[in-house]
Amino acid sequence: MQFFKTFLASVLGTLIGVTILVLIFFAFLASSSSQPEPYIRSNTVLKINLSGDIPMRVPYDPVQELLNPAMMNQVSVTGLKQNLKKAASDDNIPGIWIEANNVVASWANLETVMQDLKDFKESGKFIYFSTDDIGMNEKAYYLATAADSIFSPPETMFQFSGFAAQLTFYRELLDKIGVEPEMLRAGRYKSVVEPYLRDSSSPEYREQINEILASYSATFVDAVSERTGKTPIEINAMINTPPINRLQFAVENGLIDSLAYTDEVANIIKQRIGVEVDEDLKTVTYSRYNRVSDSSVGIDVIDSSDKIAVIYASGMILPEIAESPFATNTGITAGDFKEQLDDALEDDDIKSIVIHIDSPGGAATTSDILWHYVKEAAAKKPVVASMGTVAASGGYYMAMGADTVLAGPNTITGSIGVANMIFNVEELMEEHLGIHYETLKTHEYADLFDFTDPLSEQEQDIFEANIDQSYQTFLSVVAENRGMTVDQVHEVAQGRVYTGQNALEVGLVDAIGDIDDALRIAAEMGGIKEYNIETYPKKQDLFEAFFGGANAQMKSWMLGWVPSDIQSDVNDVNNILQQKGVQHWTILPYKIDS
């Protein structure tokens, strides 16, 4: 038996060794070679496919580039911005053709893309939009309103019905399985606890959701109104009509220019640029055009040593990244964030720092540490906080260390409040599962975090006092940054969620703007006119990425078939559940995908 164990162990070790050598060989080949810059022929149209999410950026991952290059070619806000800028200057590109279907990007990112499309049009070049057999939803059509012409196949979908949010509540489920939620919060709008305490939303919960949906709808309606020349009242009336034969309705009301298949759109573009119908339309894909350099299209290379650091802080704020099959090292931790800040502070060429925050919050303790690091950095160099899709609760907290705070019109922000989620599982364990516990202790509060018994009145008072202390600290941090009193902050806080525009009106941000506006302000504060951008987290080389994070890479490959939204939700829940002890959470109470 011992012989077979030793033999199998040797075989396994050999296989693993050979596999590693093969991976090292391919890694060496990939790292020692690069694709040449493509040659763009005259009258070539830039073809861009938009579908699914449009993240702010796609972090460079050399392992994914080697094994799954398609993932690295995903359209992002920053990548699209750069390609549109190049195409506007490229004499060989007469225009762009965007084929879009079911876009699910955040409204904050969509607004930035919309502005970039409008900037491209100032070059005098055309933008044509079309769709495929999936059809356009409202978000895809929102971007299409920037186009010169919009086309659609005659039998596809066209969604033009407005926006909705579906809320989920678990109280009855918890009752059935014998789990008693004991939720504590500071702020009557801090509704993160409501799905576990109620079977329907509170008036405060509905008020916030309705305000956000109204903001999204107004953004969409204004864009359609600008394109069609119809008033917002007329557009809303059109949206409220029964969605029957929507495509014909869209053509008749000027929403879509004409019904055309993909080959017919290609012929229309040929006619636009003076190409014969029987000739092929020359196109270049988004991913291929990524490799075109600025200098080759006439964009001047900035001849300056001055730089602005852009630090991307994305994901939940966590004391540590929990290990699970779904954990893929996403999130904001104090150690990683400080390392990036320190690098930017130590580089004398970096004159100012932009922190782009895309976070719903997380652990209150970690949020406070991140705020401290940002504030300390702002004492040494100008710091601008640029809020992306969401910078709420802990994400808003950390922004309060910056000199200037910007948000997009539809950035989800605020949520200044604290909550604690405790589940008493006594009935589940004892009555349903037959598991009984007996607790022995040396001191009065040694079993404070034992949730196999309901909280006593005294224990509840202790948790409430600690939560109130965290809330008062949050209010003081905001008051100091915003030049308000604690009472003034409390009036607009209490866990209430705002859009960026509404946050500006109540004094929670300094201005409305995107990453470009943040860079402009950072340059002014740093006293520089020309600058290069230093992006953090920095790129890893292939060996660092593979051997430094092999566990995460393996998880990524294994879970590639799982839908990204499910991975995200499970990862968020896992990160909360895996924290040791009891955390106070400064976290956004919901996600809205509309």
Side-chain angles (χ1 to χ4, degrees):
M1 181 64 70
Q2 185 63 36
F3 168 78
F4 285 109
K5 287 183 179 179
T6 304
F7 175 75
L8 290 174
S10 300
V11 171
L12 181 60
T14 302
L15 289 174
I16 292 174
V18 170
T19 301
I20 291 175
L21 287 174
V22 170
L23 288 172
I24 291 175
F25 174 73
F26 281 110
F28 174 77
L29 289 180
S31 60
S32 62
S33 62
S34 59
Q35 293 178 303
E37 179 173 336
Y39 172 72
I40 307 301
R41 295 176 293 172
S42 177
N43 246 4
T44 297
V45 174
L46 174 59
K47 180 77 182 295
I48 302 172
N49 294 319
L50 294 181
S51 181
D53 191 19
I54 308 175
M56 185 65 189
R57 63 189 287 264
V58 178
Y60 178 73
D61 186 335
V63 177
Q64 289 289 0
E65 187 175 51
L66 173 65
L67 299 173
N68 189 7
M71 288 190 65
M72 300 308 299
N73 291 325
Q74 180 184 3
V75 176
S76 66
V77 175
T78 53
L80 189 59
K81 182 188 297 290
Q82 188 61 26
N83 272 357
L84 290 175
K85 181 180 177 182
K86 290 186 294 188
S89 298
D90 194 336
D91 292 335
N92 292 320
I93 301 287
I96 61 175
W97 176 9
I98 299 177
E99 187 173 73
N101 50 47
N102 190 40
V103 173
V104 296
S106 71
W107 280 99
N109 286 356
L110 289 173
E111 287 174 311
T112 300
V113 173
M114 171 66 87
Q115 186 57 54
D116 292 336
L117 292 172
K118 290 180 176 179
D119 291 343
F120 174 83
K121 287 185 71 174
E122 291 182 2
S123 67
K125 300 182 178 183
F126 68 83
I127 300 177
Y128 280 0
F129 247 86
S130 68
T131 188
D132 52 21
D133 52 335
I134 296 175
M136 280 188 278
N137 62 350
E138 285 87 355
K139 288 185 173 181
Y141 184 69
Y142 168 74
L143 295 179
T145 60
D148 296 279
S149 297
I150 305 173
F151 307 96
S152 173
E155 296 298 329
T156 193
M157 295 289 293
F158 179 67
Q159 297 180 36
F160 193 74
S161 302
F163 306 93
Q166 187 176 63
L167 311 178
T168 305
F169 298 88
Y170 307 99
R171 181 55 197 258
E172 186 176 349
L173 169 66
L174 295 176
D175 288 343
K176 287 180 177 180
I177 64 174
V179 174
E180 177 65 26
E182 297 181 280
M183 304 296 177
L184 306 163
R185 62 180 172 180
R188 65 190 181 95
Y189 285 94
K190 196 67 177 177
S191 50
V192 67
V193 300
E194 284 198 15
Y196 310 99
L197 294 176
R198 301 171 59 98
D199 292 321
S200 61
S201 61
S202 67
E204 292 84 1
Y205 199 172
R206 288 195 298 275
E207 180 184 351
Q208 296 177 90
I209 298 295
N210 283 329
E211 285 182 357
I212 293 170
L213 290 175
S215 179
Y216 293 167
S217 181
T219 299
F220 176 75
V221 168
D222 287 347
V224 179
S225 175
E226 182 179 349
R227 173 179 173 76
T228 62
K230 300 179 186 294
T231 66
I233 293 176
E234 291 174 313
I235 299 299
N236 278 310
M238 291 166 59
I239 293 174
N240 278 326
T241 58
I244 301 171
N245 199 4
R246 263 302 193 226
L247 274 177
Q248 191 59 42
F249 174 88
V251 173
E252 292 172 355
N253 287 275
L255 302 174
I256 291 176
D257 291 287
S258 66
L259 302 178
Y261 294 100
T262 300
D263 59 310
E264 294 172 328
V265 176
N267 288 334
I268 292 171
I269 294 175
K270 289 178 189 177
Q271 185 177 7
R272 170 74 182 249
I273 63 178
V275 174
E276 296 296 328
V277 175
D278 57 351
E279 294 183 19
D280 290 335
L281 177 65
K282 296 190 290 286
T283 63
V284 58
T285 64
Y286 170 88
S287 59
R288 184 172 170 81
Y289 202 67
N290 277 337
R291 305 201 309 272
V292 172
S293 64
D294 287 354
S295 58
S296 68
V297 298
I299 297 177
D300 294 334
V301 177
I302 296 173
D303 184 20
S304 173
S305 62
D306 292 335
K307 295 184 288 187
I308 295 177
V310 177
I311 300 175
Y312 289 92
S314 304
M316 283 187 65
I317 295 172
L318 300 167
E320 60 182 284
I321 300 297
E323 284 295 325
S324 86
F326 284 91
T328 53
N329 291 338
T330 59
I332 308 171
T333 58
D336 288 344
F337 183 73
K338 185 177 188 300
E339 182 179 341
Q340 294 160 22
L341 263 182
D342 287 346
D343 283 350
L345 291 172
E346 291 168 4
D347 189 336
D348 292 335
D349 291 332
I350 291 178
K351 306 304 180 184
S352 51
I353 300 169
V354 172
I355 303 174
H356 185 273
I357 302 171
D358 188 357
S359 172
T365 52
T366 312
S367 301
D368 182 71
I369 292 172
L370 294 173
W371 161 77
H372 171 72
Y373 290 155
V374 175
K375 186 179 179 183
E376 289 293 302
K380 300 173 183 177
K381 293 183 180 182
V383 177
V384 178
S386 173
M387 297 179 174
T389 296
V390 56
S393 209
Y396 181 78
Y397 194 130
M398 67 180 291
M400 291 297 95
D403 298 297
T404 302
V405 182
L406 273 68
N410 280 305
T411 293
I412 301 302
T413 189
S415 193
I416 303 168
V418 184
N420 206 331
M421 298 179 285
I422 303 169
F423 295 92
N424 171 24
V425 297
E426 181 182 32
E427 181 184 339
L428 171 65
M429 293 297 174
E430 295 187 1
E431 297 185 19
H432 294 278
L433 299 180
I435 300 174
H436 297 267
Y437 296 91
E438 181 179 352
T439 302
L440 305 176
K441 59 183 180 179
T442 59
H443 294 80
E444 181 66 24
Y445 301 111
D447 62 341
L448 185 62
F449 301 141
D450 178 6
F451 303 131
T452 58
D453 290 312
L455 289 178
S456 67
E457 185 175 338
Q458 186 177 24
E459 288 172 334
Q460 184 160 335
D461 289 343
I462 290 171
F463 279 113
E464 287 179 348
N466 285 324
I467 285 177
D468 187 62
Q469 180 183 355
S470 293
Y471 180 55
Q472 292 301 320
T473 300
F474 200 163
L475 294 178
S476 298
V477 165
V478 177
E480 179 184 352
N481 181 275
R482 306 314 307 153
M484 302 163 69
T485 67
V486 170
D487 288 340
Q488 287 173 328
V489 176
H490 176 65
E491 283 297 313
V492 298
Q494 302 184 59
R496 182 163 186 161
V497 175
Y498 295 90
T499 63
Q501 186 62 52
N502 290 340
L504 177 66
E505 294 170 4
V506 298
L508 295 181
V509 300
D510 293 300
I512 296 298
D514 60 11
I515 188 72
D516 288 338
D517 297 304
L519 287 167
R520 175 180 52 78
I521 293 172
E524 292 173 358
M525 295 173 67
I528 56 178
K529 292 184 178 180
E530 291 190 339
Y531 56 87
N532 289 292
I533 297 174
E534 189 78 14
T535 301
Y536 295 86
K538 289 188 174 180
K539 291 182 178 181
Q540 292 179 305
D541 63 35
L542 189 59
F543 288 96
E544 288 176 327
F546 185 81
F547 294 105
N551 188 39
Q553 293 299 336
M554 184 62 68
K555 292 172 185 174
S556 177
W557 302 334
M558 290 173 64
L559 295 170
W561 59 272
V562 180
S564 59
D565 55 343
I566 295 178
Q567 287 193 46
S568 176
D569 290 342
V570 173
N571 197 33
D572 287 348
V573 172
N574 174 76
N575 286 332
I576 292 175
L577 294 178
Q578 291 296 320
Q579 299 308 311
K580 296 177 174 61
V582 174
Q583 294 287 343
H584 293 162
W585 296 94
T586 51
I587 189 169
L588 184 69
Y590 41 75
K591 297 178 182 177
I592 298 181
D593 298 317
S594 294

